[in-house]
Amino acid sequence: MTNSPTHEAITRAHHEEWARVVASLASRFGDLDVAEDAAADAFVAAVEAWPRTGTPPNPGGWLTTTATRKALDRIRREGKRDAKHRAAEMIRDDTPHTPTGPLTDDRLRLLFTCCHPALATEARVALTLRLVGGLTVPEIARAFLVQETTMAQRITRAKAKIKKARIPYRVPGPDDIGARLAGVLAVVYLVFNEGYLSGTGDEPVRRDLTLEAIRLGRLLRALLPDDGEVAGLLALMLLTEARSAARFSATGELVTLVEQDRGGWDRDLIAEGHRLVRERLASGIRPGRYQILAAINAVHTDAGSARDTDWSQIAALYEQLYAVSPSPVVALNRAVARAELDGADVGLAEVDRLVGTLDRYHAFHATRADLLRRLGRSVQAREAYDRAIELTQNPGERAYLTRRRDQLA
């Protein structure tokens, strides 16, 4: 007897359908609560039906039709027999969704709706990760380094504010698109990061998320071809995705950048990313956060081997990044570059200044563990590895950290 798939498992397997269903219903009903609840009900129905009947030939169409009926049922129960009801009756369509461009892509429109300036920046990002990215509340809470209950409340308040303010479901016009763009870029990047090193589940990578983030990045690039940060974010994602095939061993263990087989990197993606970075450098305009991050990744992917990495340039870029975006995570990465240039003791001193700030961030403890190991302080390194292992749920990363810990004297 086989186990039935869970709601989460089906959502993961059909992530693109989840995002599309939410976006499609939000477009037609104009209500994010109705859209998300109906999509969730449809996936629950799939959990109950598909183990018995098998996955339908067109899962997206099945989910859209089911979600539409669930939404209609809810509207009827609440007595909302108005234009939304009549419009919804007309959309029972099993045909798959075909994006027709940046201005009519459902998820891009939903992305801009959720990133309305009436919402606080963190609320915009969290809500969009939930509705567009399809991330769970625990995954989003980890991305923000906060408790799950805090994040759930934040998302609920954001949806309520959109409903109360009657924020329209549309891509903003040229006059107000800039007010929402920073939130949109932050969301796309966080969706990419969650896919690149998955925080939940048995798979270390979720390529559905990384590919969706890159797809949205390309749509944004087509919509805003002259925006440096849009180009920078796309370049950053391409250069990072280019290394994906070499990031995990045959057993599923994480392979660090230093140990990766660079012959397995995707040279086409690297070439495209480098072109975007050079284009922005040639513009002469002061770069923003994503452009600097893309430049850092360009330096890494330009090196033929780990030995050839130009750490002085990377350290200088992190200094520049910290001036633009002075966050503890940037300071942590700057410390790693300093350790490569000036020694592990210098890097550790910088990392230790962040104690108390990044205690819930597994990469902080993993970085500290590696520097302590290099300095021969095995007891303290073991404690740091233990804390990093405790904080990460990614199976490939846990395997790597466990092996490194167990190799300590």
Side-chain angles (χ1 to χ4, degrees), residues 20 28 93 95-102 104-107 215 219:
R20 181 175 63 80
R28 292 170 173 89
D93 184 359
T95 58
H97 173 71
T98 303
T100 56
T104 55
D105 181 83
D106 279 340
R107 271 166 285 181
R215 188 189 77 86
L219 286 175

Side-chain angles (χ1 to χ4, degrees), residues 335-378:
V336 172
R338 287 291 303 277
E340 294 298 327
L341 278 178
D342 303 323
D345 53 341
V346 174
L348 182 62
E350 291 197 15
V351 169
D352 281 347
R353 293 193 191 104
L354 302 171
V355 170
T357 305
L358 295 175
D359 284 348
R360 291 177 55 83
Y361 186 40
H362 75 277
F364 165 74
H365 298 283
T367 299
R368 193 165 180 273
D370 182 63
L371 293 173
L372 288 165
R373 177 191 60 79
R374 288 162 61 178
L375 292 169
R377 295 161 62 178
S378 297

Side-chain angles (χ1 to χ4, degrees), residues 9-24:
I10 287 182
T11 303
R12 284 182 179 278
H14 299 281
H15 164 262
E16 289 193 10
E17 282 83 358
W18 161 267
R20 181 175 63 80
V21 169
V22 171
S24 178

Side-chain angles (χ1 to χ4, degrees), residues 17-40:
E17 282 83 358
W18 161 267
R20 181 175 63 80
V21 169
V22 171
S24 178
L25 294 183
S27 175
R28 292 170 173 89
F29 288 90
D31 190 319
L32 295 180
D33 280 324
V34 168
E36 186 180 18
D37 289 348

Side-chain angles (χ1 to χ4, degrees), residues 303-364:
S305 68
R307 298 191 299 276
D308 299 328
T309 303
D310 187 346
W311 284 104
S312 61
Q313 188 176 359
I314 290 175
L317 286 167
Y318 272 120
E319 288 288 354
Q320 189 176 358
L321 180 60
Y322 192 79
V324 172
S325 179
S327 74
V329 173
V330 174
L332 178 66
N333 284 285
R334 182 179 62 180
V336 172
R338 287 291 303 277
E340 294 298 327
L341 278 178
D342 303 323
D345 53 341
V346 174
L348 182 62
E350 291 197 15
V351 169
D352 281 347
R353 293 193 191 104
L354 302 171
V355 170
T357 305
L358 295 175
D359 284 348
R360 291 177 55 83
Y361 186 40
H362 75 277
F364 165 74

Side-chain angles (χ1 to χ4, degrees), residues 29-286:
F29 288 90
D31 190 319
L32 295 180
D33 280 324
V34 168
E36 186 180 18
D37 289 348
D41 288 345
F43 275 84
V44 169
V47 171
E48 295 172 349
W50 292 1
R52 299 193 310 271
T53 63
T55 303
N58 180 4
W62 190 100
L63 289 164
T64 299
T65 300
T66 303
T68 299
R69 290 170 181 154
K70 298 290 184 182
L72 281 170
D73 289 343
R74 175 173 173 171
I75 290 172
R76 291 191 185 103
R77 286 197 303 269
E78 296 177 0
K80 296 180 180 177
R81 300 176 182 276
D82 55 10
K84 292 178 184 177
H85 182 186
R86 292 193 299 274
E89 289 282 13
M90 300 171 62
I91 63 167
R92 293 179 180 179
D93 184 359
D94 287 348
T95 58
H97 173 71
T98 303
T100 56
L103 291 176
T104 55
D105 181 83
D106 279 340
R107 271 166 285 181
L108 192 61
R109 291 169 60 194
L110 183 56
L111 194 60
F112 275 99
T113 299
C114 294
C115 290
H116 193 281
L119 301 175
T121 300
E122 288 190 345
R124 299 179 212 171
V125 175
L127 180 62
T128 316
L129 288 172
R130 178 74 192 103
L131 297 180
V132 183
L135 273 65
T136 65
V137 172
E139 288 170 338
I140 302 169
R142 275 192 299 276
F144 280 89
L145 307 179
V146 299
Q147 298 291 335
E148 290 179 26
T149 52
T150 301
M151 185 52 63
Q153 291 168 357
R154 190 176 294 173
I155 291 171
T156 299
R157 287 195 297 267
K159 287 196 291 185
K161 189 162 187 176
I162 283 179
K163 188 172 184 177
K164 184 178 180 180
R166 299 181 180 275
I167 294 172
Y169 174 85
R170 64 176 177 82
V171 173
D175 293 338
D176 58 2
I177 197 169
R180 307 190 195 184
L181 185 59
V184 169
L185 296 180
V187 166
V188 173
Y189 188 38
L190 283 171
V191 169
F192 181 85
N193 280 341
E194 178 59 32
Y196 192 68
L197 195 65
S198 178
T200 58
D202 297 329
E203 295 298 323
V205 173
R206 288 187 59 184
R207 295 205 74 235
D208 58 331
L209 293 182
T210 59
L211 293 179
E212 172 64 5
I214 290 172
R215 188 189 77 86
L216 290 170
R218 292 191 186 281
L219 286 175
L220 288 166
R221 170 78 170 155
L223 182 65
L224 299 165
D226 297 323
D227 189 280
E229 284 293 81
V230 170
L233 176 58
L234 179 57
L236 171 60
M237 293 189 295
L238 292 173
L239 292 172
T240 308
E241 178 69 13
R243 306 194 301 263
S244 61
R247 289 182 61 240
F248 292 91
S249 69
T251 61
E253 181 180 317
L254 177 70
V255 180
T256 62
L257 182 60
V258 172
E259 300 170 319
Q260 285 175 20
D261 175 10
R262 301 188 177 213
W265 291 357
D266 188 321
R267 293 295 161 185
D268 290 337
L269 290 181
I270 289 174
E272 184 180 358
H274 282 196
R275 281 196 301 272
L276 288 169
V277 171
R278 288 195 299 269
E279 172 191 309
R280 296 316 308 164
L281 288 174
S283 73
I285 299 172
R286 183 178 180 181

Side-chain angles (χ1 to χ4, degrees), residues 382-403:
R382 182 178 297 277
E383 292 173 355
Y385 276 124
D386 285 341
R387 180 63 173 149
I389 293 166
E390 177 187 348
L391 288 172
T392 184
Q393 299 302 312
N394 185 277
E397 194 165 31
R398 286 176 68 91
Y400 166 75
L401 293 170
T402 300
R403 178 174 63 80

